[in-house]
């Protein structure tokens, strides 16, 4: 378990602060993460990586020459927000465009995609690439749905080395695609991980058993087997990966591979070496030439006791990039000439931050009617934060049945931050629309992950609909909820029946629109729609998930409602109470 922490909610920020203080030779802090402390040649493509905290040395520890130009760092097991990613990428950009790289998780896909759109709007040419190497999370026919685990490193490394050679953005992207297509990983675990402040692990493994095919966010394995010896574990890992070769590799004999035996947090280096001796022998027996193997902690999951094996099948070009030198806080290879510190950029960033800190926040002008409505919005957001806090543990337990168990934690972070930002905006005289959009940004920033992106979208859609000019009537609120429903489906790609929050949001929006069209007051229409939402959330217990981290464990979730759907239903009912008090 994680024993040394202060406020669990501040753990990720404090860890990043300590990391940058310890590694000033390589990195400097920027809003949302870190960038290289050394100068980047003008016109070089910037490779910006990122993901949640709890996986060190991924992602901040991989920033430095020969590897990433910057890393956006999210909260514990939660993707960084689009604003954080945009900030890091802007600081890392050297004029050659930006390649955003991350593991293939729904929250990361959403936030990095939004950041790419914002960068493009700024005139920065941007591409994205999601690493999807975990063969246990989807079959070969659905490889695009696979999770990104320790295969992040060789794919990041290939793209970054190509960028260091001065290749243009499209060619750097093609290198990433080639490396990703030839990378496979598979993992096992003997115990789950425990998040800072939690009193139990996200999943448990029975005595003398191991979980097979797990992720790096506390997701349980896809199965269990008897606890193996080190040699038996090595054989399972190697034989599983050799069963699935890249399309252009017919036989492993005579092929070259970059090999990573990765410790997930609690397995000691000596144990890894015992396993690796057998991994190397088995690959040698299969005729595989091992190139620059890595044995150690490369992509972790807090204190999870587990290991994973990654094979990247090399051609001449990928081998050149894999062998290329790199110098980062946590990964070093070969030798590089001395680098000049990036003093110019550092001073510009520091000056910008210094001038930004004392500036008082400015809110758009608002009518008295809209400021009055903002009081109701603030009360509703207070009710949201309170109901989420009261049910956070329950939401975590529901999420842990087939997911990673962090839904309650993420919702608590997001709703608390949203209420705080809304209160600040209201105190400055903001209207209802601005109060909601400030809350939207805060929720997305602090929660991260899929829920952060989607709730940020919901609140922003409502804020846009309400505006700051008039007192919103029931019909306008219903229109905003309808817009939010459409935006969430467009952004997340889910539809009714996928066992997500959409299974509640769509019927809630439809019921609210119908009730307001009948002439009901907002409080009465919301009451009817909230009843519909509660029934819809309960109905998700009968569904199998088709999206998100629960999808690989679909059967386990039967009989349990979706955590996101359940939290949305709780929130709709809590908001109704606030509407009754302020109508």
């Amino acid at each position: 378990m994680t024993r040394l922490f202060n406020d669990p909610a501040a753990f990720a920020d404090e860890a990043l602060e300590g990391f940058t203080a310890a590694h000033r030779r390589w990195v400097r802090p920027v809003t949302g993460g870190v960038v290289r402390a050394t100068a980047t040649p003008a016109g070089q493509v910037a490779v910006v990586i990122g993901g949640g905290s709890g996986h060190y040395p991924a992602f901040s520890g991989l920033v430095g020459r020969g590897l990433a130009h910057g890393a956006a760092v999210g909260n514990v097991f939660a993707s960084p927000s689009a604003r954080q990613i945009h900030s890091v990428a802007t600081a890392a950009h050297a004029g050659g465009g930006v390649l955003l790289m991350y593991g293939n998780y729904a929250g990361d896909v959403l936030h990095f995609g939004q950041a790419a759109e914002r960068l493009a709007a700024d005139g920065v040419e941007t591409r994205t690439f999601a690493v999807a190497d975990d063969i246990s999370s989807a079959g070969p026919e659905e490889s695009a749905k696979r999770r990104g685990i320790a295969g992040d490193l060789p794919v990041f490394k290939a793209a970054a080395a190509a960028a260091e050679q001065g290749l243009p953005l499209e060619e750097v992207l093609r290198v990433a695609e080639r490396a990703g297509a030839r990378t496979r990983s598979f993992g096992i675990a003997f115990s789950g991980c425990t998040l800072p402040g939690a009193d139990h692990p996200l999943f448990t493994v029975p005595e003398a058993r191991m979980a097979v095919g797990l992720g790096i966010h506390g997701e349980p394995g896809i199965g269990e087997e008897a606890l193996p010896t080190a040699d038996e574990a090595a054989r399972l890992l190697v034989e599983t990966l050799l069963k699935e070769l890249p399309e252009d590799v017919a036989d492993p004999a005579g092929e070259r591979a970059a090999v990573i035996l990765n410790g997930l947090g609690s397995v000691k280096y000596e144990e890894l070496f015992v396993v690796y001796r057998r991994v190397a022998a088995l690959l040698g027996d299969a005729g595989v030439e091992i190139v620059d193997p890595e044995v150690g902690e490369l992509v972790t999951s807090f204190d999870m006791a587990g290991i994973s094996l990654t094979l990247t099948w090399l051609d001449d070009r990928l081998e050149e990039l894999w062998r290329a030198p790199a110098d980062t806080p946590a990964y070093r290879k070969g030798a590089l000439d001395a680098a000049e510190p990036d003093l110019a950029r550092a001073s510009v960033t520091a000056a910008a931050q210094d001038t930004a800190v004392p500036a008082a926040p400015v809110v758009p002008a608002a009518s008295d009617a809209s400021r009055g409505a903002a009081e109701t919005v603030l009360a509703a957001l207070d009710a949201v934060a309170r109901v989420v806090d009261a049910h956070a543990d329950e939401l975590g337990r529901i999420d842990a049945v087939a997911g990673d168990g962090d839904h309650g934690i993420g919702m608590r972070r997001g709703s608390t931050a949203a209420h705080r930002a809304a209160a600040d905006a209201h105190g400055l005289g903001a209207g209802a629309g601005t109060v909601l959009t400030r809350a939207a940004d805060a929720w997305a920033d602090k929660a991260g992950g899929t829920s952060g992106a989607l709730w940020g979208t919901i609140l922003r859609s409502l804020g846009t609909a309400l505006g700051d000019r008039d007192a919103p009537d029931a019909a306008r609120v219903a229109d905003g909820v309808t817009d939010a429903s459409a935006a969430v489906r467009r952004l997340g790609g889910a539809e009714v029946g996928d066992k997500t929050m959409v299974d509640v949001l769509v019927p809630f929006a439809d019921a609210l629109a119908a009730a307001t069209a009948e002439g009901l007051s907002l409080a009465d229409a919301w009451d009817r729609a909230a009843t519909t939402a509660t029934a819809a959330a309960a109905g998700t217990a009968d569904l199998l998930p088709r999206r998100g981290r629960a999808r690989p464990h679909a059967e386990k979730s039967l009989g349990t409602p979706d955590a996101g759907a359940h939290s949305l239903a709780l929130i709709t009912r809590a908001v109704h109470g606030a509407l009754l008090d302020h109508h």
Side-chain angles (χ1 to χ4, degrees):
M1 61 183 295
T2 307
R3 295 175 177 85
L4 295 174
F5 56 89
N6 298 305
D7 177 0
F11 183 87
D13 290 340
E14 292 181 349
L16 186 63
E17 182 182 350
F19 165 78
T20 56
H23 296 294
R24 296 190 188 281
R25 172 184 145 195
W26 291 276
V27 300
R28 60 182 174 87
V30 296
T31 301
V34 296
V35 295
R36 292 184 187 179
T38 54
T40 298
Q44 185 175 109
V45 171
V47 173
V48 174
I49 63 176
S53 298
H55 305 302
Y56 190 83
F59 296 87
S60 55
L62 303 179
V63 174
R65 290 190 301 156
L67 240 162
H69 295 74
V73 182
N75 220 312
V76 176
F77 287 2
S79 65
S81 71
R83 288 208 304 179
Q84 291 172 307
I85 299 161
H86 176 269
S87 169
V88 173
T90 299
H93 183 230
V98 174
L99 176 60
L100 301 176
M101 302 187 71
Y102 45 92
N104 190 31
Y105 297 90
D108 294 281
V109 172
L110 293 177
H111 286 289
F112 277 90
Q114 290 177 326
E117 292 175 356
R118 296 183 188 184
L119 289 164
D122 294 343
V124 178
E125 190 176 9
T126 308
R127 300 290 183 271
T128 65
F129 185 79
V131 180
D133 57 302
D134 176 22
I135 68 171
S136 70
S137 53
E141 70 284 353
E142 293 185 305
S143 59
K145 295 181 179 179
R146 288 176 167 173
R147 302 176 289 214
I149 53 175
D152 284 354
L153 174 60
V155 182
F156 293 167
K157 175 76 166 55
E164 292 280 3
Q165 293 176 349
L167 297 183
L169 180 59
E170 289 300 334
E171 291 189 36
V172 174
L173 174 61
R174 280 195 289 272
V175 166
E177 292 170 340
R178 175 69 170 168
R182 295 173 70 89
T183 298
R184 308 283 189 276
S185 298
F186 184 71
I188 58 177
F190 317 110
S191 71
C193 57
T194 304
L195 301 185
D199 57 6
H200 58 275
L202 292 177
F203 73 91
T204 58
V205 180
E207 191 73 23
R209 304 282 289 177
M210 70 172 173
V212 177
L214 58 129
I216 56 170
H217 297 93
E219 307 97 324
I222 59 174
E224 288 181 3
E225 294 185 12
L227 189 66
T229 65
D231 284 0
E232 289 168 344
R235 182 172 295 278
L236 173 64
L237 295 171
V238 171
E239 290 183 349
T240 301
L241 289 180
L242 291 184
K243 288 176 183 176
E244 188 190 314
L245 302 173
E247 291 182 0
D248 54 352
V249 176
D251 189 319
E255 294 290 337
R256 293 161 288 169
V259 179
I260 298 173
L261 183 62
N262 176 60
L264 285 162
S266 290
V267 176
K268 308 311 295 179
Y269 272 69
E270 287 87 348
E271 295 174 89
L272 292 173
F273 293 139
V274 171
V275 175
Y276 184 73
R277 53 174 272 288
R278 189 58 182 156
V279 167
L282 290 168
L283 289 173
D285 291 345
V288 179
E289 178 186 347
I290 298 174
V291 178
D292 282 4
E294 296 286 346
V295 179
E297 293 183 347
L298 284 310
V299 180
T300 61
S301 184
F302 267 116
D303 60 335
M304 185 186 292
I307 59 176
S308 64
L309 182 66
T310 298
L311 300 180
T312 297
W313 298 93
L314 303 173
D315 55 21
D316 290 344
R317 179 68 172 130
L318 290 177
E319 180 175 350
E320 174 193 2
L321 298 170
W322 175 242
R323 289 185 182 274
D327 184 26
T328 78
Y331 184 88
R332 297 165 205 170
K333 178 180 287 189
L336 288 162
D337 294 335
E340 293 296 323
D342 195 358
L343 298 177
R345 279 176 186 256
S347 61
V348 169
T349 301
Q353 291 178 340
D354 287 344
T355 56
V357 169
V362 177
V363 299
S367 69
D368 289 341
S370 184
R371 284 196 292 269
E375 292 185 17
T376 302
V377 170
L378 182 60
L381 288 169
D382 178 50
V384 170
R386 284 187 286 108
V387 76
V388 167
D389 185 63
H391 291 271
D393 291 343
E394 174 196 4
L395 294 173
R397 286 193 298 272
I398 293 173
D399 190 35
V401 170
D404 55 15
D406 68 346
H407 183 69
I409 296 171
M411 290 291 289
R412 177 184 277 153
R413 289 191 204 114
S415 59
T416 301
H419 177 249
R420 187 179 299 118
D424 290 344
H426 179 258
L428 293 169
T434 294
V435 166
L436 279 164
T437 54
R438 296 287 173 90
D441 288 340
W443 193 314
D445 280 352
K446 290 301 182 183
T450 306
S451 67
L454 298 183
W455 273 100
T457 296
I458 289 171
L459 296 183
R460 182 167 288 279
S461 296
L462 282 168
T464 300
L466 268 56
D468 292 326
R469 185 169 299 176
D470 305 311
D473 57 16
R476 186 180 296 181
V477 173
D479 288 343
V481 173
T482 297
D483 291 345
S485 174
V488 165
R489 282 178 286 165
R490 183 172 60 252
L491 181 63
E495 292 295 343
V496 172
D498 286 344
K499 195 163 186 170
T500 70
M501 70 182 304
V502 168
D503 290 295
V504 170
L505 183 56
V506 169
F508 174 76
D510 291 346
L512 185 64
T516 55
E518 292 176 18
L520 271 64
S521 68
L522 178 58
D524 289 343
W526 197 283
D527 181 26
R528 181 189 294 181
T531 300
T532 298
T534 300
T540 62
D542 299 325
L543 299 176
L544 288 173
R546 297 198 291 250
R547 287 184 170 272
R549 292 179 188 169
R551 184 186 54 78
H553 313 284
E555 298 295 335
K556 291 183 178 181
S557 76
L558 268 181
T560 302
D562 176 70
H566 183 54
S567 62
L568 175 55
L570 291 172
I571 285 170
T572 62
R573 181 51 64 191
V575 169
H576 176 247
L579 292 176
L580 285 177
D581 292 340
H582 288 77
H583 77 289

